[in-house]
């Protein structure tokens, strides 16, 4: 029985079988009918649910399914991150979006010989992957911890000087119209911007309210440093900058095998070849 079925029932179900309770935490008491509960009973329900959730996460952390990390080859359980189980590879620290990127690199990436690749906010493992494929690979960010100190909104590089730019979860931190225009400018015709962002496919429009304070940004965008939460109109924003758009999605059996987020996508924004 799922949560919706349980709450839609006319009265609360009784205690669950001992076997299931033993696996998921404390047994569920009998509560008053939905809609007729007092404050004390609601507090009791919240405490019960909290204990249940904790027991569930503890069980997943200790007994979760075996996954295989495409980045480092680790086979075993992955660690929970915050409320989400099976996210973090304990061998190489990869998260779902990194593993998805590795699958795309292995299966679909094409680089011209001696390709110039620039990676914003780079994860360390990507360098070896790119250099093994003959790329001239450099990392960049607004801090000095990378090869180049560059601002995605005003990239201090010549026009048409790069074959690929990777920006994994960066666009949501910046003025994306300026950033996309800059990416288009610095890429050669035929070059590719490899983009990932937090995105809700069920939203037609990106949620973006200028001037929110940090606390509200953390609540509504999931991070105080984010400027928006994308809807599926991200695609329109990318195309408006002149790109042709391809996508690489996390689907089964990869999702289960490599602990990916179902349906997460890499957006592959290609600067069209020059007109003949
Ligand atoms: Zn790993």
């Amino acid at each position: 029985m799922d949560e919706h079925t349980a709450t839609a029932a006319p009265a609360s179900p009784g205690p669950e079988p001992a076997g299931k309770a033993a696996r998921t935490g404390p047994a569920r008491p009998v509560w008053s009918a939905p809609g007729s509960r007092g404050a004390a009973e609601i507090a009791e329900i919240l405490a019960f649910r909290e204990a249940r959730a904790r027991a569930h996460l503890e069980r997943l952390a200790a007994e979760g399914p075996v996954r295989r990390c495409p980045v480092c080859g680790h086979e075993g359980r992955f660690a929970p991150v915050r409320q989400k189980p099976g996210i973090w590879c304990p061998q190489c620290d990869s998260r779902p979006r990194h593993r998805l990127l590795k699958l795309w690199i292995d299966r679909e990436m094409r680089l011209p010989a001696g390709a110039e690749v620039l990676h914003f906010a780079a994860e360390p493992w990507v360098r070896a992957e790119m250099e093994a494929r003959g790329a001239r690979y450099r990392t960049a960010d607004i801090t000095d911890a990378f090869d180049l100190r560059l601002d995605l909104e005003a990239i201090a590089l010549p026009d048409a000087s790069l074959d690929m730019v990777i920006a994994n979860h960066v666009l949501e931190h910046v003025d994306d119209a300026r950033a996309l225009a800059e990416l288009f400018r610095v890429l050669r015709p035929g070059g590719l911007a490899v983009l990932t962002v937090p995105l809700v496919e069920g939203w037609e429009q990106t949620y973006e309210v200028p001037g929110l304070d940090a606390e509200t940004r953390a609540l509504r965008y999931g991070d105080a440093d984010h400027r928006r939460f994308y809807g599926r109109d991200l695609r329109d924003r990318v195309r408006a900058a002149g790109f042709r758009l391809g996508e690489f999605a996390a689907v089964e059996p990869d999702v289960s095998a490599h602990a990916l987020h179902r349906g997460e996508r890499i957006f592959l924004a290609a600067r069209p070849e020059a007109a003949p």
Side-chain angles (χ1 to χ4, degrees), residues 2-22:
D2 67 27
E3 296 293 306
H4 290 288
T5 315
T7 51
S12 205
E16 289 168 8
K20 188 173 181 189

Side-chain angles (χ1 to χ4, degrees), residues 11-43:
S12 205
E16 289 168 8
K20 188 173 181 189
R23 281 189 289 110
T24 57
R28 181 190 296 168
V30 178
W31 293 317
S32 308
S36 64
R37 296 165 185 165
E41 192 174 13
I42 285 171

Side-chain angles (χ1 to χ4, degrees), residues 69 71-74 78 89 91-94:
C69 177
V71 175
C72 72
H74 170 74
F78 283 14
C89 172
Q91 174 64 263
C92 74
D93 299 351
S94 71

Side-chain angles (χ1 to χ4, degrees), residues 11-134:
S12 205
E16 289 168 8
K20 188 173 181 189
R23 281 189 289 110
T24 57
R28 181 190 296 168
V30 178
W31 293 317
S32 308
S36 64
R37 296 165 185 165
E41 192 174 13
I42 285 171
E44 186 185 307
I45 289 169
L46 289 173
F48 168 79
R49 284 288 174 199
E50 182 190 320
R52 245 321 157 76
R54 193 171 300 162
H56 177 69
L57 264 187
E58 283 170 359
R59 183 170 57 84
L60 282 173
E63 309 167 13
V66 169
R67 319 291 196 142
R68 198 187 72 77
C69 177
V71 175
C72 72
H74 170 74
E75 284 198 38
R77 288 195 314 274
F78 283 14
V81 173
R82 299 194 185 117
Q83 81 280 18
K84 292 174 277 188
I87 295 290
W88 189 73
C89 172
Q91 174 64 263
C92 74
D93 299 351
S94 71
R95 297 204 185 188
R97 64 178 183 265
H98 309 132
R99 297 190 285 276
L100 185 64
L101 180 66
K102 180 63 162 66
L103 293 180
W104 175 76
I105 289 172
D106 288 344
R107 294 175 186 174
E108 294 199 355
M109 187 177 77
R110 300 283 177 272
L111 281 179
E116 295 276 353
V117 177
L118 182 68
H119 190 169
F120 279 89
E123 298 79 26
W125 60 269
V126 181
R127 181 182 300 277
E129 296 291 330
M130 293 294 172
E131 291 180 349
R133 289 164 174 81

Side-chain angles (χ1 to χ4, degrees), residues 230-247:
Y230 284 102
R232 56 183 184 268
D233 63 324
L234 167 74
R235 297 169 176 90
D236 303 328
R237 297 181 182 216
V238 173
R239 289 194 189 101
F243 289 106
R244 259 205 291 273
L245 187 61
E247 300 182 19

